[in-house]
Amino acid sequence: MEIFVSIIIGVLTMSAVYMILSKSLLRIIIGTGLLSHAAHLLVLTMGGLKTGAAPVLVDGVTEYTDPLPQALVLTAIVISFGVTAFFLVLAYRAYQELTTDNIEEMKGTESND
Amino acid sequence: MSVLHLAILLPLLAAPFIPFLFRALKRIHTGWFVLVVPVLLFVYFFRFIGITSAGDVVSETVEWMPSLGINFTAYVDGLGLLFALLITGIGALVVLYSIYYLNKDKESLGHFYVYLLLFMGAMLGVVLSDNMVVMYMFWELTSISSFLLIGYWYEKERSRYGARKSMLITVFGGLSMLGGIVILESIVGSFSIRDMVANQALIAESPFFVAAMILILLGAFTKSAQFPFHIWLPDAMEAPTPVSAYLHSATMVKAGLYLVARMSPVFQESSLWLWIIVSVGTFTLFWGAFNAVKQTDLKGILAFSTVSQLGLIMSLLGLGAAALHYDGIDDNIFMVATIAAIFHLINHATFKGSLFMMVGIVDHETGTRDIRKLGGLMTVMPITFTIAVIGSLSMAGLPPFNGFLSKEMFLKATTKVFSMDFFALDTIGILIPVVAFIASVFTFIYSLIIFTRTFMGKAKFDELPKQPHEAPIGMLIPPAILAILVVVLGFVPNVLSNSLIKPAVESIYPTLVASGQEVKVDIYFWHGPTPELFMTLGIIALGTLMFFMINKWMGIYNHIPNRLTLNGMYDGSLVWSNKAAYRFKDNYMTGFIRSYLIYIFLFLSGMLLFSMYWFDLFNFSFGEMEAVAPYEYVLGAVIILAALAILFMGSRLPSIILLGVIGYSVALFFVFFGAPDLALTQLVIETVSVALFLLVFYHMPEISRKEVRVKFKVENAIVSVIVGVTVMLLSFMALSNRSVSSISEYYKENVYDLAAGKNMVNVVLVDFRGFDTLFEIVVLAVAAIGIYTMIKFRTTERTKGAHEHESEK
């Protein structure tokens, strides 16, 4: 299972990097979204994907999945959401101000260095 | 804080008051206030002669950074005292001279005297510090104050050029010296020069001996303008003449000589020391003298002659090291070299100081220093002429002046290399007296040029910017005092033998003195028909001959192309390094985020793969793994396919939807992995994110909403595959190296007993690790405020921006 998820993580990372290297701002943000999915899965997988009940205390159950990576990932999801939202609005504002979403056109000139 | 420390720091303490005196007392020349400092110090240091000539030293310590072993230890021995007297004595004369040289209404004297006092204090600190770090500090302060003084007339381009050049070269040397100091400290364990001398055997055994020696010597050679670092000195002549007289003939350029003399006890056992110093010094002696002849600027001649004379003293200090290997007879003939070095150091300070002041007078009274325009000044300026003749003839090494004595001793020391049977001195060493002879001939020629071209010949007063007349008396006094000293030292050289020279020489040979040998300093005026006397006669004869035929052979100087001169190489290397840095910067700083991201990704992958290879972490052993259920395969395949498909989407809307697909699948995975809270959050957040994406997509301006075909880029693909594979390998590696069990057992056991909750993830979030949650909330708040700000505060900015755009077009 872990190996399979690792391969998924690799593919997600690859796509994310390819998207981040493109010119369009929106595609870059999609790439960061993919990258955060990969990171969340990575953290969870590295904790070990043991079978067991969800980490909610129930009488008679002894095997639980690891709660700590889940807590970490939960925090990471929220933070990445905040950053993505901010970044999206930034991109939206950039469209409005610069009327382009091509980051190669968002280059300073010699005069405004 | 002893009186000695206060004396060293007195110029630095006095410096801050100078600008106020300059502003407040406009009627009195500020130099008169400054003059008090060196005079007081000279008198103060004069009293030490009794102590050092009795063989005693004075040492006072003030703790500065005791934990680092850096304390301000003032240490007065023969060598330090000699320099201190030179610095304060000539300093006093130079300040007196500058009072008449610089106009109090036209020059900003506040600056000038602050810089000069800074320099004086720094120089005293260099020669009287026992701690090498403190010495280095003062050393760099001399570089900085010299920089300020050379660039004193900063509105002149040549001044700035000269100041920058001297700064670059001397600071390069200073930093090398710091390296040497640190190496020495690491061997000895102390920054004190006396400790280093005491542990000289330890240093000699160290593998870093040569490195330390060369680094220290780099400092000395750059400061003392030795070949090939001499090039800054001629350009430093753009400074006011009192500065040239003080810094660039008598004091600062001798700091390197001081350093060599001071470090001699540490290094001079080594043959390398002798050879490096003697060869560099001798070549500098020749090169300076050779180049001085072709100069047309009087200060240029003096600059190159200073270079040459410094080379002479340097080579003498190197030859003096031979004394340690030659202890057969009581009458140690190689000590003559060191005695000659110290004696010539004093002599050079006197005659070169007077010559610089003489040139300043000529410049001041005629408006030019160009020997092609000058001539026939003898009748108008008789006193200046007398000073010039005395100084020049002493420099040329003619009797009855002091230069004659030290030149004879120099020739004697060089001819003695024949009788040395070590370090191959009896074979290649023969070159030393030969080069010394040739250099002396050139010295003779340029010394004659100085006073004949300026004061004799046809008077061309009409071409001069000013009508020449004799200088005011105050301007003549300082060079006259120095000229008188030249004559006095010539006739009674032994006045200094026991008081100054002997203690100074003894500080260079602490081991010999300790073993009971006595340094005998006895300078004879007439020492019989010795080889060196015949050499002097030869020099005079050949020099006179060449002087009168000078037009016949001046052509040889034109054969050196400008590009191959050292100055040409220095300028070229500056231009080249500038260009290379720009080209390098322009090549990798493309201005495109994409390039930088590629660097970052490649570096990341490179470092990870390399270290995994280096630590041999590619042996994956996974052990027990969970089996994969069929529905999990399906879900994984969906994610992989969506992630790949997203790359080829030309339109943005499908990419957004595919991102959503991936997000929801990840949420499903969370469900399979037994993480209900994660699944919940992921579902909600993915929904909101997709909505946001769509919102942005919807509000995009018309122009960019059109469908763009995504061009496939090979290098992007390669980079992304590399990064993807790296991350995959990384996770394999982490899976196969789980050596410690999870901390989560604690949470599982205590979640109810300690925290009164049953949902472990929630308890971890708000109880066990509540701080994470607090700041995650802060992140969300900041993001929300940021978004609000971006949306809200824009109307004015936007209209302004639009106007700017229009006006630009």
Side-chain angles (χ1 to χ4, degrees), chain B residues 504-635:
Chain B
V505 173
E506 277 175 348
S507 9
I508 300 177
Y509 298 111
T511 48
L512 288 191
V513 174
S515 67
Q517 290 200 48
E518 205 183 340
V519 179
K520 281 190 200 138
V521 179
D522 207 2
I523 303 165
Y524 309 100
F525 194 80
W526 169 252
H527 36 71
T530 47
E532 55 266 27
L533 187 67
F534 294 115
M535 278 175 87
T536 308
L537 290 176
I539 289 165
I540 295 171
L542 192 58
T544 318
L545 188 69
M546 284 178 75
F547 176 70
F548 284 111
M549 295 168 64
I550 197 157
N551 292 328
K552 297 253 164 60
W553 55 272
M554 274 300 264
I556 53 165
Y557 290 109
N558 301 330
H559 290 295
I560 305 167
N562 188 42
R563 202 161 42 84
L564 289 178
T565 58
L566 286 165
N567 269 323
M569 283 194 255
Y570 164 83
D571 292 336
S573 71
L574 277 193
V575 171
W576 179 85
S577 61
N578 232 345
K579 264 191 198 158
Y582 267 113
R583 196 171 303 152
F584 180 65
K585 185 221 89 176
D586 286 344
N587 273 342
Y588 85 95
M589 297 279 282
T590 56
F592 293 117
I593 293 177
R594 196 176 136 258
S595 324
Y596 306 146
L597 284 170
I598 286 180
Y599 305 149
I600 293 170
F601 283 131
L602 283 183
F603 184 77
L604 172 90
S605 299
M607 285 310 285
L608 280 173
L609 290 175
F610 175 76
S611 47
M612 279 158 80
Y613 166 76
W614 191 254
F615 294 107
D616 197 24
L617 294 172
F618 281 122
N619 308 321
F620 303 128
S621 58
F622 298 108
E624 290 271 310
M625 286 288 151
E626 292 297 321
V628 189
Y631 52 89
E632 286 172 338
Y633 273 128
V634 173
L635 194 59

